[in-house]
Amino acid sequence: MSRALAIRGGKVVALDAEAEALSSEPSSTVIDLAGGALVPALGDGHAHPMLGGVEAFGPQIRQAKDLAGILSAVAEWREAHPDADWIVGGSYDATFAEQGLFDARWLDEVTGDTPTILRSWDYHTAWVNSAALAAGGITADTPDPHLGRIVRRADGSPLGTLQEAAANDFLANVAPAFTLEQRLDALERATRLYAAQGTTWVQDAWVEADDVAAYIAAVQQQRLHTRINLALRADPAQWRDQLASFVAIRDEVRALGSDRLTAETIKFFLDGVVESHTAALTEPYADRPDDRGLHNWDAAELNAAATAFDEAGFQLHLHAIGDAANHTALNAVEAAQRTAAPRERHHVIAHVAVLDPAEVKRFADLGVIANFEPYWAQCDAVMRDLTIPHLGSPRDSWQYLIGSVQRSGATVTFGSDWPVTTPDWRPALATGITRRSEPHGDAWLPEEQIDPQTAFAAYTRGIARQAQVSDRGTLAVGMVADAVWLSASPLDIAPEEIPQLAVHGTWLAGERTFDPAASN
Protein backbone atom coordinates (compact mmCIF):
# COMPACT_ATOMS: atom_id res chain seq x y z
CA MET A 1 0.00 0.00 0.00
CA SER A 2 1.40 3.39 -1.03
CA ARG A 3 1.59 6.29 1.42
CA ALA A 4 1.55 9.06 -1.19
CA LEU A 5 0.41 9.57 -4.78
CA ALA A 6 1.04 12.40 -7.23
CA ILE A 7 -1.18 13.38 -10.15
CA ARG A 8 -0.19 15.55 -13.10
CA GLY A 9 -1.88 15.99 -16.46
CA GLY A 10 -4.69 13.67 -15.45
CA LYS A 11 -2.41 10.71 -14.75
CA VAL A 12 -0.63 9.16 -11.79
CA VAL A 13 3.01 10.23 -12.10
CA ALA A 14 4.60 9.09 -8.84
CA LEU A 15 4.08 7.07 -5.69
CA ASP A 16 5.53 7.09 -2.18
CA ALA A 17 8.84 8.99 -1.77
CA GLU A 18 8.84 10.28 -5.34
CA ALA A 19 5.30 11.61 -4.87
CA GLU A 20 6.26 13.22 -1.54
CA ALA A 21 9.17 14.97 -3.22
CA LEU A 22 6.83 16.52 -5.78
CA SER A 23 4.64 17.94 -3.01
CA SER A 24 7.23 20.63 -2.31
CA GLU A 25 6.88 22.15 -5.78
CA PRO A 26 5.29 25.63 -5.62
CA SER A 27 2.41 24.68 -7.90
CA SER A 28 1.48 21.57 -5.93
CA THR A 29 -1.77 21.13 -4.04
CA VAL A 30 -1.44 18.70 -1.15
CA ILE A 31 -4.42 16.80 0.23
CA ASP A 32 -4.13 15.01 3.57
CA LEU A 33 -6.37 11.94 3.54
CA ALA A 34 -6.82 12.27 7.31
CA GLY A 35 -6.62 8.55 7.91
CA GLY A 36 -8.79 7.67 4.95
CA ALA A 37 -7.88 5.77 1.79
CA LEU A 38 -7.46 6.75 -1.84
CA VAL A 39 -8.59 3.88 -4.06
CA PRO A 40 -9.34 3.46 -7.76
CA ALA A 41 -12.66 5.02 -8.72
CA LEU A 42 -15.40 2.56 -9.50
CA GLY A 43 -17.52 1.92 -12.56
CA ASP A 44 -21.10 0.75 -13.03
CA GLY A 45 -21.22 -1.95 -15.68
CA HIS A 46 -24.98 -1.84 -16.27
CA ALA A 47 -27.32 1.01 -15.39
CA HIS A 48 -29.92 3.38 -16.78
CA PRO A 49 -28.98 6.86 -15.55
CA MET A 50 -31.57 8.75 -17.55
CA LEU A 51 -34.37 6.46 -16.39
CA GLY A 52 -33.17 6.85 -12.82
CA GLY A 53 -32.96 10.60 -13.17
CA VAL A 54 -36.45 11.14 -14.60
CA GLU A 55 -38.06 9.30 -11.69
CA ALA A 56 -37.69 12.56 -9.78
CA PHE A 57 -40.38 14.16 -11.94
CA GLY A 58 -43.14 11.77 -10.87
CA PRO A 59 -44.62 10.47 -7.61
CA GLN A 60 -41.98 9.09 -5.27
CA ILE A 61 -43.32 5.57 -5.05
CA ARG A 62 -40.00 3.79 -4.59
CA GLN A 63 -39.97 4.72 -0.91
CA ALA A 64 -43.39 3.13 -0.29
CA LYS A 65 -43.48 0.25 2.17
CA ASP A 66 -46.73 -1.30 0.92
CA LEU A 67 -49.53 -0.90 -1.62
CA ALA A 68 -51.20 1.79 0.48
CA GLY A 69 -47.95 3.72 0.48
CA ILE A 70 -47.80 3.69 -3.33
CA LEU A 71 -51.36 4.96 -3.61
CA SER A 72 -50.72 7.64 -1.00
CA ALA A 73 -47.65 8.90 -2.89
CA VAL A 74 -49.60 9.03 -6.15
CA ALA A 75 -52.47 10.89 -4.47
CA GLU A 76 -50.06 13.43 -2.97
CA TRP A 77 -48.40 14.03 -6.34
CA ARG A 78 -51.73 14.50 -8.07
CA GLU A 79 -52.83 16.99 -5.44
CA ALA A 80 -49.58 18.92 -5.91
CA HIS A 81 -49.92 18.87 -9.72
CA PRO A 82 -53.65 19.37 -10.35
CA ASP A 83 -53.10 20.47 -13.97
CA ALA A 84 -51.00 17.47 -15.02
CA ASP A 85 -52.34 15.70 -18.09
CA TRP A 86 -50.63 12.44 -17.09
CA ILE A 87 -49.06 10.86 -14.04
CA VAL A 88 -45.86 8.99 -14.92
CA GLY A 89 -43.75 7.43 -12.20
CA GLY A 90 -41.42 4.69 -11.09
CA SER A 91 -40.75 2.38 -9.56
CA TYR A 92 -42.97 0.23 -7.36
CA ASP A 93 -42.19 -2.96 -5.47
CA ALA A 94 -43.85 -5.89 -7.24
CA THR A 95 -44.08 -7.93 -4.04
CA PHE A 96 -46.88 -5.67 -2.79
CA ALA A 97 -49.45 -7.61 -4.86
CA GLU A 98 -49.90 -11.34 -5.31
CA GLN A 99 -47.78 -12.62 -8.22
CA GLY A 100 -46.76 -9.02 -8.89
CA LEU A 101 -50.10 -8.31 -10.62
CA PHE A 102 -51.64 -4.89 -9.99
CA ASP A 103 -55.23 -3.83 -10.73
CA ALA A 104 -56.11 -0.64 -12.61
CA ARG A 105 -59.04 -0.09 -10.26
CA TRP A 106 -56.70 0.38 -7.31
CA LEU A 107 -55.09 3.33 -9.07
CA ASP A 108 -58.46 4.67 -10.20
CA GLU A 109 -59.32 5.39 -6.56
CA VAL A 110 -56.58 8.05 -6.30
CA THR A 111 -56.11 9.19 -9.91
CA GLY A 112 -59.68 9.53 -11.18
CA ASP A 113 -59.68 10.19 -14.91
CA THR A 114 -56.03 11.32 -15.10
CA PRO A 115 -54.17 8.70 -17.18
CA THR A 116 -51.50 7.10 -15.01
CA ILE A 117 -48.63 4.72 -15.70
CA LEU A 118 -46.17 3.51 -13.07
CA ARG A 119 -43.16 1.40 -13.84
CA SER A 120 -42.31 -1.60 -11.68
CA TRP A 121 -38.87 -1.79 -10.11
CA ASP A 122 -37.89 -4.37 -12.76
CA TYR A 123 -38.59 -1.88 -15.60
CA HIS A 124 -40.09 -4.75 -17.60
CA THR A 125 -43.57 -4.21 -16.19
CA ALA A 126 -45.99 -1.30 -15.84
CA TRP A 127 -49.17 -0.64 -13.88
CA VAL A 128 -51.79 1.58 -15.51
CA ASN A 129 -55.17 2.91 -14.48
CA SER A 130 -58.41 2.67 -16.43
CA ALA A 131 -57.96 6.10 -18.01
CA ALA A 132 -54.56 5.05 -19.35
CA LEU A 133 -55.99 1.81 -20.74
CA ALA A 134 -58.61 3.89 -22.53
CA ALA A 135 -55.97 6.31 -23.83
CA GLY A 136 -54.05 3.37 -25.25
CA GLY A 137 -57.15 1.75 -26.71
CA ILE A 138 -56.56 -1.42 -24.70
CA THR A 139 -59.71 -3.51 -24.26
CA ALA A 140 -60.66 -7.14 -23.87
CA ASP A 141 -60.39 -7.44 -27.65
CA THR A 142 -56.85 -6.05 -27.86
CA PRO A 143 -54.39 -8.84 -28.69
CA ASP A 144 -51.11 -9.15 -26.85
CA PRO A 145 -48.38 -7.27 -28.74
CA HIS A 146 -45.48 -9.18 -30.19
CA LEU A 147 -43.09 -10.02 -27.34
CA GLY A 148 -45.43 -8.60 -24.72
CA ARG A 149 -48.34 -9.51 -22.47
CA ILE A 150 -51.48 -7.70 -21.36
CA VAL A 151 -52.39 -9.40 -18.09
CA ARG A 152 -56.13 -10.10 -18.03
CA ARG A 153 -58.91 -10.85 -15.62
CA ALA A 154 -60.90 -14.05 -15.89
CA ASP A 155 -63.36 -12.37 -18.27
CA GLY A 156 -60.57 -11.29 -20.60
CA SER A 157 -60.62 -7.61 -19.68
CA PRO A 158 -57.22 -5.97 -19.07
CA LEU A 159 -56.23 -6.08 -15.41
CA GLY A 160 -53.95 -3.05 -15.50
CA THR A 161 -50.57 -4.82 -15.54
CA LEU A 162 -48.55 -4.68 -18.76
CA GLN A 163 -45.46 -6.81 -19.30
CA GLU A 164 -42.46 -6.43 -21.60
CA ALA A 165 -43.39 -4.95 -25.02
CA ALA A 166 -46.90 -4.16 -23.80
CA ALA A 167 -45.37 -1.84 -21.19
CA ASN A 168 -42.52 -0.48 -23.30
CA ASP A 169 -44.69 0.21 -26.36
CA PHE A 170 -47.21 2.03 -24.16
CA LEU A 171 -44.50 4.25 -22.71
CA ALA A 172 -43.04 4.93 -26.15
CA ASN A 173 -46.26 5.50 -28.07
CA VAL A 174 -49.00 6.55 -25.64
CA ALA A 175 -47.54 8.18 -22.53
CA PRO A 176 -46.06 11.66 -23.02
CA ALA A 177 -42.31 11.91 -23.57
CA PHE A 178 -40.07 13.89 -21.24
CA THR A 179 -38.79 17.16 -22.68
CA LEU A 180 -35.17 17.68 -23.68
CA GLU A 181 -34.61 19.96 -20.70
CA GLN A 182 -36.07 17.34 -18.36
CA ARG A 183 -33.74 14.73 -19.82
CA LEU A 184 -30.76 17.02 -19.45
CA ASP A 185 -31.73 17.69 -15.85
CA ALA A 186 -32.07 13.95 -15.28
CA LEU A 187 -28.61 13.23 -16.71
CA GLU A 188 -27.00 15.96 -14.66
CA ARG A 189 -28.73 14.77 -11.49
CA ALA A 190 -27.77 11.16 -12.18
CA THR A 191 -24.12 11.84 -12.96
CA ARG A 192 -23.72 14.12 -9.93
CA LEU A 193 -25.09 11.26 -7.84
CA TYR A 194 -22.54 8.91 -9.36
CA ALA A 195 -19.69 11.36 -8.78
CA ALA A 196 -20.74 11.74 -5.15
CA GLN A 197 -20.29 8.02 -4.58
CA GLY A 198 -16.93 7.70 -6.37
CA THR A 199 -18.14 6.36 -9.73
CA THR A 200 -16.42 7.67 -12.88
CA TRP A 201 -17.74 5.39 -15.67
CA VAL A 202 -21.26 4.12 -16.33
CA GLN A 203 -22.63 1.78 -18.97
CA ASP A 204 -26.03 3.14 -19.98
CA ALA A 205 -27.47 -0.18 -21.02
CA TRP A 206 -30.61 0.89 -22.86
CA VAL A 207 -30.49 3.82 -25.25
CA GLU A 208 -32.94 4.53 -28.05
CA ALA A 209 -31.79 6.59 -31.04
CA ASP A 210 -34.11 9.42 -30.00
CA ASP A 211 -32.30 9.66 -26.65
CA VAL A 212 -28.88 10.43 -28.13
CA ALA A 213 -29.55 14.16 -28.64
CA ALA A 214 -29.91 14.62 -24.89
CA TYR A 215 -26.54 13.00 -24.22
CA ILE A 216 -24.82 15.09 -26.88
CA ALA A 217 -26.38 18.26 -25.47
CA ALA A 218 -25.24 17.24 -21.98
CA VAL A 219 -21.65 16.99 -23.22
CA GLN A 220 -21.84 20.29 -25.04
CA GLN A 221 -23.28 22.00 -21.95
CA GLN A 222 -20.76 20.29 -19.62
CA ARG A 223 -23.53 18.61 -17.65
CA LEU A 224 -22.04 15.11 -17.48
CA HIS A 225 -20.11 14.53 -14.27
CA THR A 226 -19.03 10.98 -15.04
CA ARG A 227 -18.23 9.10 -18.22
CA ILE A 228 -21.13 7.36 -19.95
CA ASN A 229 -20.98 4.75 -22.70
CA LEU A 230 -24.20 4.36 -24.67
CA ALA A 231 -25.57 0.93 -25.57
CA LEU A 232 -27.92 1.45 -28.50
CA ARG A 233 -30.84 -1.01 -28.45
CA ALA A 234 -31.03 -3.40 -31.39
CA ASP A 235 -34.61 -4.12 -32.47
CA PRO A 236 -35.18 -7.74 -33.53
CA ALA A 237 -37.39 -6.55 -36.41
CA GLN A 238 -35.32 -3.57 -37.57
CA TRP A 239 -31.69 -4.25 -36.73
CA ARG A 240 -30.58 -4.37 -40.37
CA ASP A 241 -31.87 -0.85 -40.91
CA GLN A 242 -30.36 0.26 -37.60
CA LEU A 243 -26.84 -0.87 -38.45
CA ALA A 244 -25.88 2.11 -40.61
CA SER A 245 -27.64 4.63 -38.34
CA PHE A 246 -25.86 3.27 -35.27
CA VAL A 247 -22.50 3.59 -37.02
CA ALA A 248 -23.43 7.21 -37.81
CA ILE A 249 -24.35 7.85 -34.16
CA ARG A 250 -21.05 6.37 -33.02
CA ASP A 251 -19.18 8.60 -35.45
CA GLU A 252 -21.12 11.67 -34.30
CA VAL A 253 -20.30 10.97 -30.67
CA ARG A 254 -16.65 10.29 -31.44
CA ALA A 255 -16.47 13.63 -33.27
CA LEU A 256 -17.33 15.42 -30.01
CA GLY A 257 -13.84 14.54 -28.80
CA SER A 258 -15.00 14.08 -25.21
CA ASP A 259 -14.08 11.10 -23.06
CA ARG A 260 -17.25 11.72 -21.05
CA LEU A 261 -19.43 10.21 -23.78
CA THR A 262 -18.94 7.19 -26.03
CA ALA A 263 -21.34 5.07 -28.08
CA GLU A 264 -19.44 1.87 -28.69
CA THR A 265 -21.98 -0.74 -27.65
CA ILE A 266 -25.13 -2.47 -28.92
CA LYS A 267 -27.76 -3.72 -26.47
CA PHE A 268 -29.75 -6.89 -27.06
CA PHE A 269 -32.73 -7.79 -24.85
CA LEU A 270 -32.86 -11.58 -25.11
CA ASP A 271 -35.64 -12.12 -22.58
CA GLY A 272 -37.51 -10.58 -19.66
CA VAL A 273 -37.42 -11.30 -15.93
CA VAL A 274 -38.21 -14.34 -13.81
CA GLU A 275 -40.64 -12.46 -11.58
CA SER A 276 -43.02 -11.84 -14.52
CA HIS A 277 -42.52 -15.30 -16.03
CA THR A 278 -40.87 -13.62 -19.03
CA ALA A 279 -37.29 -14.82 -18.53
CA ALA A 280 -36.51 -17.52 -21.11
CA LEU A 281 -36.06 -20.95 -19.51
CA THR A 282 -35.04 -24.27 -21.00
CA GLU A 283 -37.70 -26.10 -19.00
CA PRO A 284 -41.10 -24.72 -17.91
CA TYR A 285 -41.59 -22.57 -14.84
CA ALA A 286 -42.21 -24.56 -11.68
CA ASP A 287 -45.57 -22.85 -11.13
CA ARG A 288 -46.54 -22.66 -14.83
CA PRO A 289 -45.96 -26.05 -16.44
CA ASP A 290 -46.77 -24.78 -19.95
CA ASP A 291 -44.71 -21.59 -19.83
CA ARG A 292 -41.03 -21.23 -20.70
CA GLY A 293 -41.01 -17.42 -20.82
CA LEU A 294 -40.40 -15.10 -23.75
CA HIS A 295 -37.58 -15.24 -26.28
CA ASN A 296 -37.22 -11.79 -27.81
CA TRP A 297 -34.94 -13.01 -30.60
CA ASP A 298 -35.01 -15.94 -32.97
CA ALA A 299 -31.68 -17.68 -32.39
CA ALA A 300 -30.56 -17.58 -36.02
CA GLU A 301 -31.53 -13.92 -36.36
CA LEU A 302 -29.66 -13.07 -33.16
CA ASN A 303 -26.54 -14.81 -34.45
CA ALA A 304 -26.77 -12.82 -37.68
CA ALA A 305 -27.25 -9.53 -35.85
CA ALA A 306 -24.45 -10.23 -33.37
CA THR A 307 -22.10 -11.07 -36.23
CA ALA A 308 -23.01 -7.93 -38.19
CA PHE A 309 -22.55 -5.56 -35.25
CA ASP A 310 -19.33 -7.32 -34.25
CA GLU A 311 -17.97 -6.89 -37.77
CA ALA A 312 -18.85 -3.19 -37.55
CA GLY A 313 -16.60 -2.97 -34.49
CA PHE A 314 -19.27 -2.68 -31.83
CA GLN A 315 -19.19 -4.28 -28.40
CA LEU A 316 -22.18 -6.55 -27.75
CA HIS A 317 -24.12 -6.21 -24.48
CA LEU A 318 -26.70 -8.96 -24.13
CA HIS A 319 -29.40 -8.95 -21.43
CA ALA A 320 -29.86 -12.58 -20.40
CA ILE A 321 -31.80 -13.64 -17.31
CA GLY A 322 -33.04 -17.20 -17.86
CA ASP A 323 -30.83 -20.21 -18.48
CA ALA A 324 -32.12 -20.50 -22.06
CA ALA A 325 -31.32 -16.83 -22.69
CA ASN A 326 -27.79 -17.24 -21.34
CA HIS A 327 -27.27 -20.28 -23.56
CA THR A 328 -28.50 -18.33 -26.58
CA ALA A 329 -26.32 -15.33 -25.68
CA LEU A 330 -23.18 -17.46 -25.45
CA ASN A 331 -24.03 -19.05 -28.79
CA ALA A 332 -24.42 -15.61 -30.38
CA VAL A 333 -21.01 -14.45 -29.18
CA GLU A 334 -19.49 -17.69 -30.38
CA ALA A 335 -21.11 -17.27 -33.80
CA ALA A 336 -19.81 -13.70 -34.10
CA GLN A 337 -16.28 -14.72 -33.22
CA ARG A 338 -16.34 -17.76 -35.49
CA THR A 339 -17.10 -15.78 -38.64
CA ALA A 340 -15.02 -12.64 -38.02
CA ALA A 341 -11.31 -11.90 -38.10
CA PRO A 342 -9.41 -12.65 -34.88
CA ARG A 343 -9.11 -9.65 -32.52
CA GLU A 344 -9.57 -8.94 -28.86
CA ARG A 345 -13.21 -8.52 -28.03
CA HIS A 346 -14.98 -7.24 -24.93
CA HIS A 347 -18.49 -8.59 -25.39
CA VAL A 348 -20.73 -8.64 -22.31
CA ILE A 349 -23.56 -10.83 -21.10
CA ALA A 350 -25.45 -8.86 -18.48
CA HIS A 351 -27.20 -10.17 -15.36
CA VAL A 352 -26.43 -13.90 -15.90
CA ALA A 353 -29.19 -14.50 -13.39
CA VAL A 354 -29.95 -18.18 -14.03
CA LEU A 355 -27.05 -20.13 -15.51
CA ASP A 356 -26.78 -23.85 -16.05
CA PRO A 357 -23.57 -24.80 -14.21
CA ALA A 358 -22.51 -26.78 -17.27
CA GLU A 359 -22.14 -23.48 -19.16
CA VAL A 360 -19.96 -21.64 -16.64
CA LYS A 361 -16.70 -22.44 -18.40
CA ARG A 362 -17.94 -21.03 -21.72
CA PHE A 363 -17.54 -17.48 -20.41
CA ALA A 364 -13.79 -17.99 -20.01
CA ASP A 365 -13.44 -20.04 -23.18
CA LEU A 366 -15.11 -17.33 -25.28
CA GLY A 367 -13.57 -14.37 -23.43
CA VAL A 368 -17.03 -13.10 -22.54
CA ILE A 369 -17.39 -10.59 -19.73
CA ALA A 370 -20.00 -11.65 -17.18
CA ASN A 371 -21.71 -8.57 -15.77
CA PHE A 372 -23.52 -9.32 -12.53
CA GLU A 373 -25.61 -7.06 -10.33
CA PRO A 374 -24.28 -8.19 -6.93
CA TYR A 375 -27.03 -6.55 -4.90
CA TRP A 376 -29.40 -9.19 -6.32
CA ALA A 377 -27.35 -12.04 -4.86
CA GLN A 378 -29.37 -12.26 -1.65
CA CYS A 379 -32.50 -14.03 -0.49
CA ASP A 380 -34.70 -10.97 0.00
CA ALA A 381 -38.49 -10.69 -0.29
CA VAL A 382 -38.45 -10.69 -4.09
CA MET A 383 -36.26 -13.78 -4.19
CA ARG A 384 -38.29 -15.56 -1.52
CA ASP A 385 -41.80 -14.64 -2.67
CA LEU A 386 -41.46 -14.52 -6.46
CA THR A 387 -38.19 -15.76 -7.95
CA ILE A 388 -37.61 -19.04 -6.14
CA PRO A 389 -41.24 -20.25 -6.39
CA HIS A 390 -41.22 -19.50 -10.12
CA LEU A 391 -37.95 -21.34 -10.74
CA GLY A 392 -38.21 -24.32 -8.41
CA SER A 393 -35.37 -26.74 -7.72
CA PRO A 394 -32.62 -27.13 -8.88
CA ARG A 395 -32.74 -23.87 -10.84
CA ASP A 396 -33.09 -21.80 -7.68
CA SER A 397 -29.47 -22.79 -6.96
CA TRP A 398 -28.28 -21.71 -10.43
CA GLN A 399 -28.63 -18.02 -9.63
CA TYR A 400 -25.81 -15.47 -9.71
CA LEU A 401 -22.98 -17.98 -9.90
CA ILE A 402 -20.44 -15.19 -9.38
CA GLY A 403 -17.85 -17.31 -7.61
CA SER A 404 -18.05 -20.11 -10.16
CA VAL A 405 -17.74 -17.80 -13.16
CA GLN A 406 -14.84 -15.92 -11.60
CA ARG A 407 -13.01 -19.13 -10.71
CA SER A 408 -13.41 -20.32 -14.29
CA GLY A 409 -11.06 -17.55 -15.38
CA ALA A 410 -13.67 -15.26 -16.92
CA THR A 411 -13.75 -11.50 -16.38
CA VAL A 412 -16.48 -10.51 -13.92
CA THR A 413 -17.83 -6.97 -13.71
CA PHE A 414 -20.40 -5.47 -11.39
CA GLY A 415 -23.25 -3.08 -12.03
CA SER A 416 -26.41 -1.79 -10.40
CA ASP A 417 -29.15 -1.84 -13.06
CA TRP A 418 -30.28 1.41 -11.43
CA PRO A 419 -33.12 2.37 -11.08
CA VAL A 420 -34.05 -1.32 -10.69
CA THR A 421 -31.99 -1.26 -7.51
CA THR A 422 -29.76 1.26 -5.76
CA PRO A 423 -26.91 2.84 -7.75
CA ASP A 424 -24.80 2.81 -4.58
CA TRP A 425 -21.91 0.37 -4.96
CA ARG A 426 -21.31 0.13 -1.22
CA PRO A 427 -24.24 -2.08 -0.16
CA ALA A 428 -23.90 -3.96 -3.45
CA LEU A 429 -20.22 -4.69 -2.82
CA ALA A 430 -21.02 -5.93 0.67
CA THR A 431 -23.75 -8.19 -0.70
CA GLY A 432 -21.48 -9.61 -3.38
CA ILE A 433 -19.03 -10.61 -0.69
CA THR A 434 -21.46 -11.94 1.93
CA ARG A 435 -24.58 -12.90 -0.11
CA ARG A 436 -26.68 -11.95 2.92
CA SER A 437 -29.87 -9.95 3.10
CA GLU A 438 -29.21 -9.22 6.78
CA PRO A 439 -25.78 -8.16 8.13
CA HIS A 440 -25.38 -11.25 10.28
CA GLY A 441 -27.83 -13.62 8.65
CA ASP A 442 -27.12 -16.79 6.71
CA ALA A 443 -25.38 -16.53 3.37
CA TRP A 444 -27.50 -17.49 0.38
CA LEU A 445 -25.68 -20.03 -1.83
CA PRO A 446 -22.47 -19.47 0.18
CA GLU A 447 -20.37 -21.45 -2.29
CA GLU A 448 -20.77 -18.48 -4.65
CA GLN A 449 -19.29 -15.94 -2.24
CA ILE A 450 -16.16 -14.08 -3.35
CA ASP A 451 -13.47 -12.32 -1.36
CA PRO A 452 -13.33 -8.52 -1.00
CA GLN A 453 -10.37 -8.13 -3.38
CA THR A 454 -12.17 -10.04 -6.14
CA ALA A 455 -15.40 -8.12 -5.56
CA PHE A 456 -13.70 -4.72 -5.65
CA ALA A 457 -11.80 -5.67 -8.79
CA ALA A 458 -15.13 -6.33 -10.50
CA TYR A 459 -15.89 -2.62 -10.04
CA THR A 460 -12.41 -1.44 -11.08
CA ARG A 461 -10.09 -3.62 -13.19
CA GLY A 462 -12.99 -5.60 -14.60
CA ILE A 463 -14.84 -2.42 -15.52
CA ALA A 464 -11.73 -1.12 -17.29
CA ARG A 465 -11.87 -4.10 -19.62
CA GLN A 466 -15.60 -3.63 -20.16
CA ALA A 467 -14.94 0.04 -20.93
CA GLN A 468 -12.35 -1.16 -23.46
CA VAL A 469 -9.49 0.82 -21.93
CA SER A 470 -6.14 -0.33 -20.59
CA ASP A 471 -5.14 2.74 -18.58
CA ARG A 472 -7.79 2.73 -15.86
CA GLY A 473 -8.79 0.47 -12.98
CA THR A 474 -5.69 0.84 -10.80
CA LEU A 475 -3.65 3.73 -9.41
CA ALA A 476 -0.28 2.59 -10.74
CA VAL A 477 2.14 5.10 -12.27
CA GLY A 478 1.07 5.97 -15.80
CA MET A 479 -2.59 5.18 -15.25
CA VAL A 480 -5.41 7.70 -15.63
CA ALA A 481 -6.06 9.32 -12.26
CA ASP A 482 -9.60 8.14 -11.57
CA ALA A 483 -9.73 7.97 -7.80
CA VAL A 484 -12.05 8.15 -4.82
CA TRP A 485 -11.17 9.22 -1.28
CA LEU A 486 -12.96 7.00 1.23
CA SER A 487 -13.07 7.09 5.00
CA ALA A 488 -11.40 3.65 4.94
CA SER A 489 -10.36 1.06 2.41
CA PRO A 490 -13.19 -1.39 1.66
CA LEU A 491 -10.55 -4.12 1.71
CA ASP A 492 -9.51 -3.40 5.29
CA ILE A 493 -12.87 -3.44 7.06
CA ALA A 494 -15.58 -6.01 7.69
CA PRO A 495 -17.96 -6.36 4.73
CA GLU A 496 -20.85 -5.37 6.98
CA GLU A 497 -19.19 -1.97 7.48
CA ILE A 498 -18.75 -1.18 3.78
CA PRO A 499 -22.20 0.45 3.35
CA GLN A 500 -21.23 3.06 5.96
CA LEU A 501 -18.08 4.21 4.14
CA ALA A 502 -18.01 7.96 3.60
CA VAL A 503 -16.88 9.49 0.29
CA HIS A 504 -14.68 12.57 0.78
CA GLY A 505 -13.79 13.22 -2.84
CA THR A 506 -13.84 11.89 -6.40
CA TRP A 507 -11.42 12.62 -9.25
CA LEU A 508 -11.96 11.86 -12.93
CA ALA A 509 -8.65 12.03 -14.84
CA GLY A 510 -7.34 14.26 -12.07
CA GLU A 511 -10.31 16.64 -12.15
CA ARG A 512 -12.27 16.75 -8.93
CA THR A 513 -15.89 15.89 -9.71
CA PHE A 514 -17.07 15.65 -6.10
CA ASP A 515 -16.06 17.67 -3.08
CA PRO A 516 -18.45 17.44 -0.09
CA ALA A 517 -17.21 20.76 1.22
CA ALA A 518 -18.22 22.46 -2.04
CA SER A 519 -21.57 20.64 -2.04
CA ASN A 520 -22.66 22.01 1.34
Side-chain angles (χ1 to χ4, degrees), residues 4-16 18-20 22-23 25 27-31 33 38-39 41 474-485 506-512:
L5 176 145
I7 297 171
R8 179 185 293 152
K11 292 193 174 183
V12 178
V13 295
L15 297 172
D16 296 320
E18 292 182 7
E20 291 174 332
L22 292 175
S23 68
E25 294 185 356
S27 60
S28 295
T29 299
V30 178
I31 297 175
L33 298 180
L38 192 73
V39 302
T474 71
L475 292 177
V477 171
M479 302 293 277
V480 171
D482 283 7
V484 55
W485 173 12
T506 303
W507 289 263
L508 188 159
E511 176 184 342
R512 193 158 190 175

Side-chain angles (χ1 to χ4, degrees), residues 200-369:
T200 55
W201 184 88
V202 179
Q203 174 63 69
D204 189 323
W206 180 4
V207 178
E208 302 291 342
D210 291 343
D211 296 329
V212 176
Y215 292 92
I216 291 176
V219 171
Q220 294 170 332
Q221 297 178 29
Q222 299 183 331
R223 297 175 72 174
L224 290 184
H225 305 281
T226 189
R227 302 183 187 90
I228 294 182
N229 179 54
L230 308 182
L232 301 161
R233 183 185 67 88
D235 188 318
Q238 302 179 50
W239 69 266
R240 288 177 173 82
D241 295 330
Q242 290 176 317
L243 182 56
S245 65
F246 286 177
V247 170
I249 288 172
R250 181 179 62 186
D251 291 345
E252 182 180 11
V253 171
R254 286 177 176 176
L256 295 173
S258 171
D259 78 338
R260 301 245 175 145
L261 187 67
T262 53
E264 303 295 323
T265 303
I266 304 299
K267 171 66 175 291
F268 297 81
F269 277 105
L270 268 61
D271 64 344
V273 293
V274 172
E275 293 73 28
S276 295
H277 296 95
T278 54
L281 302 182
T282 303
E283 298 297 331
Y285 282 87
D287 52 358
R288 287 194 183 179
D290 298 323
D291 191 349
R292 288 181 168 83
L294 293 177
H295 283 275
N296 291 337
W297 287 78
D298 169 79
E301 193 73 355
L302 175 65
N303 290 354
T307 299
F309 282 110
D310 174 270
E311 289 178 347
F314 284 103
Q315 176 188 50
L316 311 180
H317 191 103
L318 303 106
H319 163 114
I321 294 288
D323 63 315
N326 277 286
H327 175 75
T328 302
L330 288 162
N331 287 350
V333 173
E334 185 173 21
Q337 297 183 170
R338 184 170 55 244
T339 58
R343 61 180 171 85
E344 185 175 2
R345 291 170 168 82
H346 306 270
H347 298 322
V348 179
I349 297 178
H351 308 316
V352 198
V354 184
L355 180 67
D356 186 333
E359 302 226 77
V360 165
K361 192 172 182 297
R362 293 186 70 193
F363 281 85
D365 292 344
L366 294 171
V368 176
I369 297 168

Side-chain angles (χ1 to χ4, degrees), residues 155-205:
D155 63 1
S157 63
L159 175 67
T161 298
L162 309 176
Q163 297 175 342
E164 301 299 339
N168 295 331
D169 291 351
F170 195 101
L171 283 155
N173 303 322
V174 181
F178 291 101
T179 66
L180 176 60
E181 185 53 41
Q182 284 177 317
R183 294 182 183 199
L184 284 168
D185 183 77
L187 286 174
E188 183 157 37
R189 180 185 297 108
T191 56
R192 284 194 185 279
L193 173 65
Y194 272 116
Q197 65 179 38
T199 299
T200 55
W201 184 88
V202 179
Q203 174 63 69
D204 189 323

Side-chain angles (χ1 to χ4, degrees), residues 483-509:
V484 55
W485 173 12
L486 301 174
S487 55
S489 169
L491 306 184
D492 295 337
I493 60 177
E496 295 78 14
E497 298 174 4
I498 293 175
Q500 283 73 53
L501 284 172
V503 178
H504 298 310
T506 303
W507 289 263
L508 188 159

